[in-house]
Amino acid sequence: MTLELRNIEKSFGAKQVLQGISLTAEGGQAFGVLGRNGAGKTTTIRILMDVFPPNSGEILLDGTPIDYHKVSLGYLPEERGLYPKKPIGQQLVYFAQLKGLKRSQAVSAVRRWLKRLGMEEYENKRLDTLSKGNQQKIQLITALAHNPDIIVLDEPFSGLDPVNAGLLKDVVKEQMEAGKIVLFSSHQMNYIEEFCQNIAILNQGKIAISGNLEQIKRSYPRDRLTVFSPQYREILSQFGSHCQLVQPGQLLLRLDRPDQKQQVMGELVSRYDVDRVQVYEPSLNDIFVEYAGDQV
């Protein structure tokens, strides 16, 4: 499957919120939609989810306009939307039925997901008796129980401890392996880097940069080295103003030209006890700050 948003425009009154948003997400991969608060992420997601229409532009699936009667979407919102006083199993089955499952199918799917996420014992509990992390896992079931084709995850790791975050990672990978289209929206850049081959960073309703994350990183000048060494003080002394201390044991070394990197690497390894030396690539956090950081 290939999902395309083409030239999406959206205004609310006199305020234009989206200005020509275009992106392409492929089945079996995760796509990261990033931006600061107010950049247009939520509006983009809501248009994709058919909450409201765009003023112009189109959404295509495999080259034809998306048919929401035939395509199933699953959405994990940042804000929880379940009923705190109702039994968990009862409302999960209700939401699965709203998304097209027969009752028997919904019951089976919900129990399967409760077991998968280690939540079987809570089927008859009220939602407000659960921890924040367990509530997030229950919310995830509403996004997945009906076996959607397209999955939108907005801050999916919010409130999860490392063990449950690892469980969610496994679930997301399973969905990708099943050929689903997965869209991530998160401010936790480490998860985006782990899952997403392609990203789009929104700034003031426009796409500031998009494409393959690895290619974006490699497009930056290859004129800096990251050096890990217990002799960082000696290296810092030798290279002076060309060298920056990142943290004890780690340096950022700026070269005069990119073609010097092999020569300098060899010099460092021959003269000092170097644990690791590599060409510096910006992190997704660095890229995000550069392209989204000027938003007011």
Side-chain angles (χ1 to χ4, degrees):
M1 291 187 296
T2 300
L3 174 69
E4 296 178 78
L5 277 65
R6 288 188 183 174
N7 299 314
I8 300 294
E9 307 259 347
K10 183 64 180 179
S11 298
F12 295 103
K15 183 176 176 58
Q16 188 169 9
V17 179
L18 299 181
Q19 304 178 53
I21 298 297
S22 296
L23 57 86
T24 301
E26 300 286 346
Q29 298 181 8
F31 189 102
V33 181
L34 310 174
R36 294 175 64 185
N37 294 333
K41 303 188 307 297
T42 300
T43 301
T44 301
I45 289 171
R46 287 175 177 171
I47 289 172
L48 170 62
M49 298 294 297
D50 200 32
V51 174
F52 45 66
N55 295 115
S56 62
E58 56 185 346
I59 300 175
L60 307 175
L61 190 65
D62 292 333
T64 60
I66 190 168
D67 184 345
Y68 289 101
H69 297 291
K70 296 180 179 179
V71 178
S72 178
L73 289 90
Y75 178 40
L76 174 68
E78 181 177 4
E79 299 296 330
R80 292 173 181 83
L82 299 179
Y83 300 103
K85 305 297 183 183
K86 295 291 185 181
I88 288 166
Q90 178 181 318
Q91 57 181 311
L92 287 176
V93 169
Y94 170 71
F95 281 115
Q97 287 181 274
L98 286 181
K99 294 171 182 176
L101 297 188
K102 296 179 180 178
R103 178 169 176 77
S104 60
Q105 294 173 320
V107 170
S108 176
V110 165
R111 288 179 175 166
R112 183 171 65 251
W113 274 108
L114 286 169
K115 182 177 181 180
R116 175 70 180 84
L117 297 178
M119 300 293 290
E120 291 172 286
E121 64 185 285
Y122 300 108
E123 181 176 353
N124 297 312
K125 303 280 188 182
R126 292 188 342 189
L127 189 72
D128 60 4
T129 64
L130 272 60
S131 67
K132 183 178 179 181
N134 280 339
Q135 287 184 32
Q136 182 77 338
K137 289 161 71 177
I138 295 300
Q139 187 84 51
L140 177 65
I141 294 175
T142 68
L144 300 178
H146 58 295
N147 193 29
D149 305 299
I150 301 169
I151 302 166
V152 181
L153 304 174
D154 194 353
E155 297 294 352
F157 294 94
S158 175
L160 297 182
D161 59 43
V163 173
N164 281 323
L167 178 60
L168 178 54
K169 288 181 187 180
D170 291 341
V171 169
V172 173
K173 289 174 182 175
E174 289 168 6
Q175 297 302 306
M176 292 165 59
E177 288 168 0
K180 308 294 182 67
I181 294 172
V182 180
L183 272 68
F184 264 99
S185 179
S186 179
H187 290 112
Q188 295 175 285
M189 300 298 161
N190 56 316
Y191 292 121
I192 297 292
E193 287 199 88
E194 180 174 353
F195 283 107
C196 299
Q197 290 181 283
N198 298 286
I199 64 162
I201 297 177
L202 278 63
N203 191 338
Q204 301 186 56
K206 301 177 181 178
I207 290 186
I209 188 171
S210 66
N212 180 271
L213 179 56
E214 201 59 40
Q215 291 177 3
I216 291 172
K217 289 183 176 184
R218 291 190 66 84
S219 70
Y220 282 72
R222 317 279 287 175
D223 60 354
R224 286 176 288 178
L225 300 177
T226 300
V227 184
F228 298 86
S229 171
Q231 293 185 278
Y232 66 93
R233 293 185 182 88
E234 291 91 330
I235 300 172
L236 190 61
S237 176
Q238 178 188 345
F239 288 92
S241 61
H242 283 73
C243 204
Q244 174 188 343
L245 180 65
V246 177
Q247 61 184 9
Q250 181 181 351
L251 302 169
L252 184 62
L253 179 59
R254 180 173 50 82
L255 308 175
D256 292 325
R257 303 184 314 275
D259 61 7
Q260 289 182 315
K261 59 180 179 289
Q262 297 296 339
Q263 172 193 336
V264 175
M265 282 180 176
E267 180 181 345
L268 287 166
V269 172
S270 65
R271 294 188 60 179
Y272 301 104
D273 179 8
V274 174
D275 294 327
R276 188 163 85 249
V277 57
Q278 62 195 46
V279 176
Y280 169 80
E281 288 185 345
S283 67
L284 178 55
N285 189 72
D286 297 330
I287 297 167
F288 180 86
V289 169
E290 177 179 348
Y291 283 94
D294 63 345
Q295 179 178 327
V296 177

